[in-house]
Amino acid sequence: MELTLSQAIWFTPFALPLAVWIALSDLKHMKITNQSVLILACVFIVVGLIILPPETYLWRFAQAVVVLIIGFIANALRLIGGGDAKYAAAIAPFVAYGDIKLVLMIFAVMVFAALITHRAFRAIGPIRRRTADWASWSAGKDFPMGLALSGTLIGYLVL
C-alpha cells in the first residue's frame, strides 16, 4: 500500500514544522533532541489513529521498531548518531510500505543535496557570520544528518 494524497494532506501540516525545527536544531547544536523525536512520534500516533486503517496503523509501528533496531546497531558501530537513529525511527511510521524504495531514493538524493549545500553554505562568509553559533560548521567530518532526514520526510509527504 502507498501513501494516499489524503494521508499526506493530514500528516504534512504537523510533520513539516517539526522536520524544519529538527533540521535547524541539528545544524545549530549537532543534536536531535528526544523531545523533538517524541513530538513527531506523537503526531503519528494521533493523526495515524484518525486516518489509517487499524491494521496499517499497527504495521507502521512495526516499521518504526525495525528502523529503531537497525539504527541502534548502526549507532553502536559508530556509523550514525543516536539522535539520527531515533529520528529515522520516528519518521518510519509515516512511510507506507509500498513506498520504501521511493523513500530510499529520496533519502539518497537528500543526503547528497544536504551535504553539498551544507559544505557550500559553510564556505560563504556572510552566511557563516550570520550563523556563527552553529556547531555543524566546525564539526569536522561529522554531518548534521537531521538535515537530510528532514528533507526526506518533507520530500516524501509533499511528493
Side-chain angles (χ1 to χ4, degrees):
M1 177 180 278
E2 297 171 344
L3 186 76
T4 66
L5 179 59
S6 66
Q7 292 167 357
I9 289 170
W10 272 91
F11 283 134
T12 301
F14 301 103
L16 188 134
L18 289 169
V20 170
W21 172 42
I22 292 168
L24 289 172
S25 173
D26 204 18
L27 285 164
K28 185 170 182 172
H29 305 290
M30 287 297 292
K31 182 174 176 81
I32 298 173
T33 65
N34 289 338
Q35 177 187 18
S36 61
V37 171
L38 288 172
I39 293 169
L40 184 62
C42 286
V43 165
F44 177 79
I45 289 168
V46 173
V47 177
L49 187 60
I50 296 168
I51 66 169
L52 295 173
E55 183 177 311
T56 301
Y57 183 72
L58 294 175
W59 275 111
R60 299 279 186 92
F61 279 110
Q63 286 176 195
V65 170
V66 169
V67 171
L68 187 62
I69 291 168
I70 292 168
F72 279 161
I73 292 168
N75 178 255
L77 296 172
R78 304 250 186 244
L79 300 174
I80 63 172
D84 302 330
K86 292 180 283 188
Y87 187 31
I91 290 171
F94 288 89
V95 177
Y97 182 77
D99 292 336
I100 290 175
K101 287 181 184 178
L102 171 65
V103 169
L104 291 174
M105 286 190 285
I106 294 170
F107 179 64
V109 170
M110 289 298 171
V111 168
F112 181 74
L115 180 65
I116 297 301
T117 303
H118 182 264
R119 297 304 194 240
F121 281 22
R122 181 173 71 178
I124 299 171
I127 292 174
R128 181 92 184 245
R129 284 189 295 278
R130 187 157 179 105
T131 55
D133 61 338
W134 284 13
S136 66
W137 295 145
S138 58
K141 292 182 179 180
D142 288 344
F143 175 71
M145 190 58 75
L147 182 61
L149 289 167
S150 289
T152 301
L153 177 60
I154 294 167
Y156 174 65
L157 291 176
V158 170
L159 286 176

